Amino acid sequence: MKAFILFFACVLVVPRLALAEGGDTTKVALESNAEHDARMKWWRDARFGMFIHWGVYAVAAGEWNGQNVQTAGEWIMNGADIPVDEYEPLAARFNPVKYDPAEWVRAAKDAGMRYIVITAKHHDGFCLFDTETTDWDVVDATPFGADVLKPLADECREQGLHFCTYYSIMDWHHTAQQHGPHTYNPTLIDPARKQEYVVYMKTQLRELLDSCDPEVLWFDGEWPDWWTEADGRDLYNYLRVLKPTIIVNNRVAKGREGMAGLTKDDAQHAGDFGTPEQEIPATGIPGVDWESCMTMNGTWGFHKYDVNWKSSETLIRNLVDIASKGGNYLLNVGPMANGEIPPESIARLAEIGRWMKVNGESIYGTSASPIAAVPWGRLTAKQQGEQETLFLHVFDWPNDEKLHVPGLTKKVTAARLLATEDALPLSLDGADVIVDLPTTPVDRVDTVIALEVARGLDTAAE
Ligand code: GLC
């Protein structure tokens, strides 16, 4: 599995004109480990990003004909079997006059997030950017009449966040994709028009790269049978040739099922990171970059009946849990049709931000815990100069105020509370390192202790 990350495509600078949307034989070459690591670096270091699901479904807000539709907000077209011509008028009511991209980016940044992934086009086919390929977009079909992604991309750059876009391959609105009278998922495609649809996607993606220059392309809706592994690899290749530094998720090529088991040849062009959804893999996905995407309540797109909000304690601990297993956390918000992020989400982002302000060092640029699971919390690790730091995330404060760190025979040189910089006494108890804690936690959600260990020594007994 480790070999998986070694075989990704690399930079070949090809003039854009050489790349026809209809099909191109130019291939990106294999990249070296160092080139691959360089391309993935910002994303690996970031650890925490904001997912944004926004579109005309936010107007319906989970309700159709007075009924609470029990699917995620962005799935209402399928959940309520809404015919295309009855769904389209939602666009006429999409007028996000309170949309303030600077506020959104600030909310993400203050929460400690380092990147934003927003739905450029979800399964309903509606485009939040300006495209020449269709009028089913925010510029042509809504009273708002302006691109909403470009200002967000600009704000991200202004405030130092990485701007990224989600894009659905399945498209319930495109006439080449067929469905029964009331079933959208999964779509079928008119075989005579598949190539036309692929060109449509490639044209839109090029437009997106030109206008917003996203750093990640986050695909979804790859499960219809008509979308093949080969189609995915071709699309991956297309994007990497257009923008060699771009990072693409595994759903471009049905990687959700098979990413970890891919052979060398298959791995090339099958995507750069895994995408567990609404779950945290028990032991991470060793040897593979991955990102867990999760909601704050139960929906991605805004749904007014979904009040099943997770606590900020759960969200912070999820972030820590994921980092301790070597992954990224992509935490979703579903803005309302007026352009505001729900206040429940804003409150949780602020609480996560308070924790991150004190403890961010134990998340950014860290790697998975080098030791087995501990009963009191989680560990993250970081190389810093001559020292390696282990961050002990204490979820459950020991009654005797003695924190046992098992399986660690590296030379531990110091321990300190990250929040206060106060040094903590250390001792040994058999194979365990013991850290003497104060009587009460600094933060009952997760108090972090930084343990400095001499670099280069492994966990074997000396
Ligand atoms: C699913 C859903 C979709 C959501 C996505 C996020 O595949 O179809 O609505 O955007 O997951 O991962």
Side-chain angles (χ1 to χ4, degrees), residues 51 53 74-75 122-123 166 218 220 223 251 277 293 300:
F51 215 175
H53 277 69
E74 76 285 0
W75 270 80
H122 206 269
H123 306 332
Y166 164 111
W218 208 106
D220 190 27
W223 56 85
R251 295 186 192 181
E277 179 173 320
C293 53
W300 303 95

Side-chain angles (χ1 to χ4, degrees), residues 347-420:
R348 282 158 182 78
L349 290 171
E351 283 169 37
I352 299 169
R354 275 194 282 280
W355 185 87
M356 282 295 274
K357 215 148 269 145
V358 176
N359 300 292
E361 184 189 337
S362 68
I363 299 293
Y364 303 125
T366 59
S367 47
S369 170
I371 66 171
V374 288
W376 40 258
R378 300 287 183 273
L379 279 87
T380 52
K382 193 188 273 180
Q383 302 279 338
Q384 294 179 130
E386 285 313 297
Q387 288 278 293
E388 178 176 346
T389 306
L390 292 184
F391 296 102
L392 316 178
H393 297 262
V394 188
F395 294 175
D396 298 315
W397 206 249
N399 290 332
D400 62 357
E401 292 115 33
K402 300 225 175 293
L403 191 73
H404 287 244
V405 190
L408 188 71
T409 51
K410 293 185 176 187
K411 263 196 193 113
V412 177
T413 54
R416 70 193 148 92
L417 274 170
L418 202 56
T420 59

Side-chain angles (χ1 to χ4, degrees), residues 51 53 57 72 74-75 119 122-123 166 168 170 172 185 218-223 251 256 275-278 293-295 300-301 330 332:
F51 215 175
H53 277 69
Y57 42 75
E74 76 285 0
W75 270 80
T119 48
H122 206 269
H123 306 332
Y166 164 111
S168 175
M170 182 169 68
W172 298 331
N185 176 47
W218 208 106
F219 286 98
D220 190 27
E222 81 292 5
W223 56 85
R251 295 186 192 181
R256 213 186 306 209
T275 52
E277 179 173 320
Q278 300 287 35
C293 53
M294 301 176 92
T295 49
W300 303 95
L330 187 63
N332 185 72

Side-chain angles (χ1 to χ4, degrees), residues 54-66 76 82 86-97 126 136 138 141-145 304 336-339:
W54 202 32
V56 296
Y57 42 75
V59 172
E63 185 179 294
W64 196 254
N65 290 337
I76 195 165
I82 307 169
E86 287 176 37
Y87 187 81
E88 278 178 342
L90 286 176
R93 292 161 56 204
F94 186 79
N95 191 17
V97 290
F126 184 78
W136 185 229
V138 65
T142 76
F144 193 67
K304 65 183 173 192
M336 299 180 284
N338 69 0

Side-chain angles (χ1 to χ4, degrees), residues 83-130:
V84 171
D85 58 351
E86 287 176 37
Y87 187 81
E88 278 178 342
L90 286 176
R93 292 161 56 204
F94 186 79
N95 191 17
V97 290
K98 298 207 168 146
Y99 176 47
D100 183 345
E103 269 301 309
W104 284 19
V105 175
R106 198 166 310 119
K109 189 174 179 175
D110 287 351
M113 293 158 156
R114 294 259 164 109
Y115 59 108
I116 286 179
V117 184
I118 183 166
T119 48
K121 183 188 89 163
H122 206 269
H123 306 332
D124 65 1
F126 184 78
C127 298
L128 282 185
F129 59 102
D130 191 12

Side-chain angles (χ1 to χ4, degrees), residues 110-407:
D110 287 351
M113 293 158 156
R114 294 259 164 109
Y115 59 108
I116 286 179
V117 184
I118 183 166
T119 48
K121 183 188 89 163
H122 206 269
H123 306 332
D124 65 1
F126 184 78
C127 298
L128 282 185
F129 59 102
D130 191 12
T131 172
E132 293 302 309
T133 59
T134 178
D135 284 347
W136 185 229
D137 71 46
V138 65
V139 180
D140 297 309
T142 76
F144 193 67
D147 188 328
V148 292
L149 293 197
K150 172 88 168 79
L152 190 65
D154 292 344
E155 258 314 318
C156 279
R157 267 156 218 136
E158 181 70 30
Q159 297 192 42
L161 265 67
H162 298 268
F163 177 78
C164 315
T165 48
Y166 164 111
Y167 187 91
S168 175
I169 292 164
M170 182 169 68
D171 188 321
W172 298 331
H173 189 269
H174 196 283
T175 53
Q177 290 187 50
Q178 303 165 334
H179 39 83
H182 292 303
T183 50
Y184 289 108
N185 176 47
T187 56
L188 306 171
I189 206 152
D190 176 350
R193 297 185 61 197
K194 176 170 169 179
Q195 180 58 15
E196 171 197 334
Y197 179 68
V198 171
V199 171
Y200 176 83
M201 282 201 302
K202 286 183 171 176
T203 307
Q204 291 194 338
L205 291 164
R206 186 178 38 74
E207 290 173 328
L208 246 186
L209 290 186
D210 284 345
S211 60
C212 297
D213 203 19
E215 294 179 65
V216 172
L217 230 317
W218 208 106
F219 286 98
D220 190 27
E222 81 292 5
W223 56 85
D225 285 343
W226 56 262
W227 184 253
T228 67
E229 189 72 37
D231 293 330
R233 283 198 222 129
D234 172 66
L235 190 54
Y236 178 93
N237 183 70
Y238 172 80
L239 289 164
R240 290 287 316 285
V241 172
L242 277 182
K243 179 171 165 121
T245 56
I246 203 161
I247 295 172
V248 181
N249 73 337
N250 63 341
R251 295 186 192 181
V252 70
K254 297 191 184 293
R256 213 186 306 209
E257 296 109 51
M259 181 157 180
L262 292 175
T263 64
K264 168 183 169 178
D265 285 347
D266 284 346
Q268 179 165 19
H269 304 156
D272 298 312
F273 64 93
T275 52
E277 179 173 320
Q278 300 287 35
E279 60 166 336
I280 302 172
T283 53
I285 316 181
V288 173
D289 289 297
W290 58 278
E291 174 197 68
S292 277
C293 53
M294 301 176 92
T295 49
M296 282 195 195
N297 48 356
T299 182
W300 303 95
F302 181 67
H303 194 306
K304 65 183 173 192
Y305 292 104
D306 185 348
V307 291
N308 194 15
W309 296 97
K310 295 172 186 105
S311 66
S312 55
E313 171 178 313
T314 297
L315 300 174
I316 291 166
R317 288 184 176 180
N318 280 351
L319 169 63
V320 172
D321 188 22
I322 289 167
S324 81
K325 293 167 179 170
N328 282 13
Y329 188 32
L330 187 63
L331 181 59
N332 185 72
V333 300
M336 299 180 284
N338 69 0
E340 288 178 329
I341 295 174
E344 294 86 348
S345 299
I346 291 291
R348 282 158 182 78
L349 290 171
E351 283 169 37
I352 299 169
R354 275 194 282 280
W355 185 87
M356 282 295 274
K357 215 148 269 145
V358 176
N359 300 292
E361 184 189 337
S362 68
I363 299 293
Y364 303 125
T366 59
S367 47
S369 170
I371 66 171
V374 288
W376 40 258
R378 300 287 183 273
L379 279 87
T380 52
K382 193 188 273 180
Q383 302 279 338
Q384 294 179 130
E386 285 313 297
Q387 288 278 293
E388 178 176 346
T389 306
L390 292 184
F391 296 102
L392 316 178
H393 297 262
V394 188
F395 294 175
D396 298 315
W397 206 249
N399 290 332
D400 62 357
E401 292 115 33
K402 300 225 175 293
L403 191 73
H404 287 244
V405 190

